[in-house]
């Protein structure tokens, strides 16, 4: 029986999921997003062009692919319509390749405003949300108030929209926050018209039928495991299950139908927004990672915080996802470092641990192991045997510590800059 393979991020997002899905899609007929929404920004580079996707699966560029926005995703019709328009302008036939689960929830204009008002009220304790309305939309989903894609075709849709909007307006009254709904609302209803041109599906039935038919399916995660609502660095997380478990609820696939789990990590670490980051660097090394790695948000343009690879956190997310294959990204960013450090344990209040702790807010002091840098340009390498010895030591140490093989190594943003072992 064919199973659903999964690609997901093992750190705090932006690991390079978009590139990996694009590289893997020739092996798959169906690509499905299972959670998150336009807080995601997945970048792809090929043929001298760059693209950023927020809601649409990264398989959309491949001819003959089927791309599904699953029930676990939250959709802002304005952003989706913009994405479709940009892709169509580049010659991609989106509408014939994109299916949308009826059970996916809609992000309303007032969800965005509630997100912004809530963040503004938090001052220094803010999450650093992308302000796309993600938290309030998932709150309405679990609070059983949400509007779903399947509701759009109901004659009562506008009435239900207005009822939810009024509820939000009352909630917004509790904040000292100025807003103007009218302009965004007009765009939103225009976006709904674009959404109506897509094929709405009973996602769980369609995905299971595809599995039965033997189609190869790849589930594409958004964000990263350390942003998971249950197991991430709470409360500095997103509002969905970014872990592998999210594939089951976000597409309607039973756990026994999951296959390979590809866990993606950067050769170092980044985080955008607030929250704990034990190996964060505030020195020239961190600055160098940011500049060489162009670590600025794909969705918000914010500079990303940078730091050394964290094996304590990586082992944790490998465990939580049942990762079967590792994919190491952006190795080229470390080309010019004399010494590389990797956190192998934490000291929490003076006590050493190799387990990712509950309280990640307090002072955590990483215990580092040092590696000699390879000090050479590896971007042109296409065969593992050609990597310098120092590079292989780094990779093989990660494999030993996690117990999982590194199957793919990425040495540049382009599709071609990829080594499959
Ligand atoms: P995603 O959200 O996980 O899809 O990742 P993003 O697209 O937000 O961020 C990853 C960034 O790194 C993008 O700008 C990619 O083009 C870029 N990138 C991906 N792989 C590599 C790589 O191996 N080397 C370098 N230098 N850049 C890469
Ligand atoms: P991709 O899919 C990196 C972060 C935000 C913030 C927190 C909550 O591109 O890897 P939210 O908007 O969800 O309320 O924000 O999560 N965040 C991401 N960081 N990559 C992402 O997606 C992210 N999506 C959300 O910066 O700290
Ligand atoms: Mg991103």
């Amino acid at each position: 029986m064919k199973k659903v393979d999964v690609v997901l991020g093992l750190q705090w997002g932006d690991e390079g999921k978009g590139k990996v899905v694009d590289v893997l899609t020739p092996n798959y007929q169906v690509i499905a997003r299972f959670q998150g929404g336009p807080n995601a920004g997945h970048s792809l580079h090929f043929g001298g062009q760059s693209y950023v996707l927020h809601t649409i699966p990264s398989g959309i560029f491949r001819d003959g692919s089927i791309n599904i926005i699953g029930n676990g995703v939250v959709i802002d019709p304005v952003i989706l319509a913009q994405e479709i328009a940009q892709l169509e302008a580049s010659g991609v036939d989106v509408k014939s390749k994109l299916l949308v689960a009826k059970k996916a929830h809609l992000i309303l204009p007032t969800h965005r405003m509630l997100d912004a008002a809530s963040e503004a009220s938090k001052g220094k304790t803010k999450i650093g949300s992308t302000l796309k309305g993600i938290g309030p939309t998932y709150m309405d989903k679990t609070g059983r108030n949400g509007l779903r894609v399947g509701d759009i075709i109901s004659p009562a849709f506008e009435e239900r929209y207005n009822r939810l909007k009024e509820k939000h307006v009352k909630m917004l009254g509790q904040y000292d926050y100025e807003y103007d709904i009218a302009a965004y609302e007009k765009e939103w209803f225009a976006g709904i018209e674009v959404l109506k041109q897509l094929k709405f599906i009973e996602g769980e039935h369609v995905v299971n039928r595809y599995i039965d038919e033997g189609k190869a399916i790849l589930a594409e995660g958004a964000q990263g495991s350390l942003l998971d609502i249950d197991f991430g660095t709470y409360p500095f997380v997103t509002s969905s299950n970014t872990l592998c478990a999210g594939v089951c609820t976000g597409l309607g696939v039973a756990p026994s139908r999951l296959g390979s789990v590809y866990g993606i990590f950067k050769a170092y670490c980044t985080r955008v927004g607030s929250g704990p980051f034990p190996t964060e660097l505030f020195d020239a090394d961190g600055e160098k990672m940011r500049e060489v790695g162009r670590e600025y948000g794909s969705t918000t343009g914010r500079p990303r915080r940078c730091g050394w690879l964290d094996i304590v956190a990586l082992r944790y997310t490998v465990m939580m996802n049942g990762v079967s294959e590792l994919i190491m990204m952006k190795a080229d960013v470390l080309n010019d470092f004399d010494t590389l450090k990797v956190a192998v344990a934490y000291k929490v209040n003076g006590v050493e641990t190799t387990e990712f702790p509950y309280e990640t807010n307090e002072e955590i002091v990483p215990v580092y192991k040092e590696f000699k840098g390879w000090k050479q340009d590896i971007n042109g390498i296409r065969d593992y045997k050609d990597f310098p010895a120092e590079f292989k030591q780094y990779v093989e140490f990660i494999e030993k510590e996690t117990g999982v093989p590194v199957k793919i190594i990425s040495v540049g943003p382009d599709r071609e800059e990829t080594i499959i072992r």
Side-chain angles (χ1 to χ4, degrees):
M1 182 179 71
K2 273 270 180 210
K3 297 197 173 189
V4 177
D5 292 343
V6 183
V7 162
L8 45 74
L10 297 176
Q11 295 161 326
W12 283 286
D14 302 327
E15 295 89 350
K17 297 174 290 292
K19 166 172 171 171
V20 169
V21 173
D22 177 58
V23 166
L24 292 177
T25 35
N27 307 325
Y28 294 92
Q29 288 141 295
V30 183
I31 316 296
R33 272 277 305 268
F34 58 91
Q35 47 68 234
N39 47 348
H42 296 179
S43 320
L44 295 85
H45 300 268
F46 55 88
Q49 293 280 75
S50 299
Y51 306 88
V52 181
L53 297 172
H54 300 287
T55 326
I56 296 177
S58 305
I60 199 76
F61 298 98
R62 302 281 188 174
D63 289 338
S65 61
I66 301 169
N67 294 268
I68 298 178
I69 299 177
N71 61 278
V73 176
V74 291
I75 300 173
D76 183 333
V78 177
I79 296 175
L80 181 59
Q82 283 164 357
E83 271 183 85
I84 293 172
Q86 279 163 12
L87 288 171
E88 284 181 343
S90 317
V92 182
D93 177 14
V94 181
K95 286 175 192 146
S96 71
K97 287 192 272 188
L98 186 61
L99 309 176
V100 187
K102 281 188 191 168
K103 290 187 171 127
H105 279 244
L106 294 170
I107 302 175
L108 270 56
T110 38
H111 282 133
R112 284 173 65 111
M113 282 147 203
L114 282 166
D115 206 0
S118 160
E119 279 283 85
S121 75
K122 284 186 171 156
K124 275 195 179 141
T125 60
K126 72 176 177 160
I127 309 290
S129 161
T130 61
L131 306 181
K132 302 294 178 201
I134 304 297
T137 306
Y138 279 114
M139 278 164 72
D140 270 338
K141 175 177 176 175
T142 50
R144 296 159 295 178
N145 299 309
L147 281 182
R148 301 187 290 178
V149 167
D151 299 330
I152 293 175
I153 45 182
S154 151
F157 179 63
E158 255 193 78
E159 186 197 320
R160 291 188 53 193
Y161 168 86
N162 282 321
R163 225 185 304 145
L164 189 53
K165 173 183 148 185
E166 284 317 312
K167 185 175 148 78
H168 292 161
V169 167
K170 282 198 194 115
M171 290 162 74
L172 282 161
Q174 294 165 14
Y175 294 100
D176 178 22
Y177 182 78
E178 277 191 34
Y179 58 91
D180 173 19
I181 301 179
Y184 203 77
E185 194 171 53
K186 195 159 164 255
E187 274 186 77
W188 195 85
F189 278 103
I192 290 288
E193 292 307 310
V194 175
L195 195 47
K196 275 185 187 164
Q197 296 165 26
L198 302 176
K199 197 164 171 209
F200 296 168
I201 56 166
E202 320 272 341
E204 64 280 31
H205 292 292
V206 171
V207 169
N208 281 286
R209 195 177 327 125
Y210 285 160
I211 300 173
D212 293 339
E213 288 168 359
K215 283 198 168 66
I217 306 175
L218 184 65
E220 174 181 3
Q223 289 80 54
S225 301
L226 297 172
L227 289 170
D228 181 87
I229 183 71
D230 281 283
F231 296 102
T233 47
Y234 193 86
F236 301 98
V237 293
T238 190
S239 297
S240 64
N241 279 117
T242 59
L243 292 176
C244 193
V247 178
C248 299
T249 53
L251 291 177
V253 177
S256 58
R257 305 195 106 182
L258 297 182
S260 297
V261 180
Y262 298 97
I264 312 186
F265 69 102
K266 280 181 199 178
Y268 49 100
C269 272
T270 66
R271 168 160 212 169
V272 57
S274 336
F277 182 174
T279 60
E280 182 168 14
L281 289 167
F282 300 94
D283 59 6
D285 283 338
E287 193 55 40
K288 193 154 136 188
M289 288 172 188
R290 181 155 44 249
E291 291 317 311
V292 178
R294 299 210 189 107
E295 295 294 358
Y296 295 89
S298 311
T299 296
T300 56
R302 291 179 290 178
R304 293 176 184 149
R305 300 154 63 193
C306 296
W308 298 118
L309 182 66
D310 184 340
I311 291 278
V312 180
L314 194 62
R315 263 196 310 253
Y316 179 64
T317 54
V318 163
M319 171 181 82
M320 296 306 297
N321 288 302
V323 171
S324 54
E325 272 108 353
L326 283 168
I327 302 182
M328 184 166 96
M329 309 300 290
K330 304 191 90 160
D332 55 299
V333 175
L334 302 181
N335 283 349
D336 192 31
F337 285 79
D338 293 325
T339 305
L340 301 172
K341 292 186 188 177
V342 173
V344 291
Y346 294 157
K347 269 200 171 143
V348 186
N349 295 327
V351 180
E352 199 167 304
T353 178
T354 53
E355 275 189 10
F356 197 70
Y358 170 81
E359 193 62 82
T360 33
N361 276 332
E362 66 195 297
E363 255 331 82
I364 287 179
V365 183
V367 179
Y368 287 113
K369 180 176 164 64
E370 294 194 357
F371 288 83
K372 200 164 169 281
W374 44 90
K375 296 288 276 180
Q376 86 177 56
D377 193 334
I378 55 167
N379 305 55
I381 293 178
R382 295 290 175 270
D383 192 327
Y384 187 74
K385 70 174 175 12
D386 299 329
F387 278 116
E390 294 84 356
F391 182 89
K392 289 181 183 161
Q393 263 163 22
Y394 194 73
V395 172
E396 284 155 29
F397 179 76
I398 294 166
E399 292 184 318
K400 184 169 92 27
E401 287 291 309
T402 56
V404 180
V406 176
K407 274 287 162 70
I408 300 178
I409 294 169
S410 174
V411 292
D414 199 272
R415 241 182 213 176
E416 307 302 323
E417 292 169 305
T418 314
I419 294 95
I420 301 180
R421 286 170 80 190

